[in-house]
Amino acid sequence: MCTGDNLDTAIAISKNAGIVTEAQIAASPHACMTGRDFRTATGGIKKVTDEDGKEHDTVANMKKFREIQQHIRVLARSSPEDKYLLVTGIQKNKGVVAVTGDGSNDAPALTKADVGFAMGKTGTDIAKGACDIILLTDDFSCILVALRYGRNVYDNVRKFIQF
């Protein structure tokens, strides 16, 4: 869970939602972090140029990011840069990332993510333009429905292509 809420509020909500347990919090200092601590530990985003001369973003300290990624469950007081850093790092580690957002500041992370979900009722036009899927009801349970339909369509397309 990546949120702008303060750490205590984020931990309480995530415990209630089953995102983090007391045992996970006790086991690692990286289970629940603030955006500032996360950004400082990982070194933030840095620009690198590949052999083709194209510039792209990467995590400055990937070794530390991998260590944190194994344990992190809650990222509180996070800025848009922290969300973008988290998405970039997970993708660099071959992970698949889905991001939800409703504000203009969420647009970079929504664009960078493999799948971006924007809120249809409360979301800004910028967030809606940056995302892949707009949740018309602003209800997270719609994500599960969308995944089921998406998987069904994907399976049917695969079956069709085989023949």
Side-chain angles (χ1 to χ4, degrees), residues 43-93:
I45 290 285
K46 72 175 184 177
K47 301 272 186 196
V48 293
T49 305
D50 60 14
E51 55 274 353
D52 296 333
K54 294 182 181 177
E55 192 175 80
H56 59 91
D57 296 331
T58 191
V59 178
N61 187 345
M62 278 303 292
K63 182 178 179 183
K64 186 65 174 180
F65 182 89
R66 285 185 197 100
E67 178 186 327
I68 291 171
Q69 184 185 1
Q70 294 175 5
H71 303 284
I72 194 162
R73 298 290 175 264
V74 176
L75 188 60
R77 297 310 270 168
S78 61
S79 68
E81 293 80 20
D82 299 330
K83 295 174 187 179
Y84 186 81
L85 171 62
L86 184 62
V87 171
T88 301
I90 292 171
Q91 288 178 332
K92 291 288 181 191
N93 286 327

Side-chain angles (χ1 to χ4, degrees), residues 97-154:
V97 183
V99 173
T100 61
D102 61 356
S104 303
N105 61 348
D106 294 323
L110 286 167
T111 302
K112 179 87 172 159
D114 296 296
V115 178
F117 293 92
M119 304 302 154
K121 288 183 179 180
T122 59
T124 63
D125 289 338
I126 294 171
K128 291 176 190 176
C131 74
D132 300 300
I133 298 171
I134 299 172
L135 301 176
L136 297 177
T137 63
D138 287 7
D139 185 356
F140 284 107
S141 65
C142 293
I143 294 173
L144 296 176
V145 174
L147 286 173
R148 286 188 194 114
Y149 278 110
R151 287 180 179 164
N152 189 17
V153 169
Y154 177 76

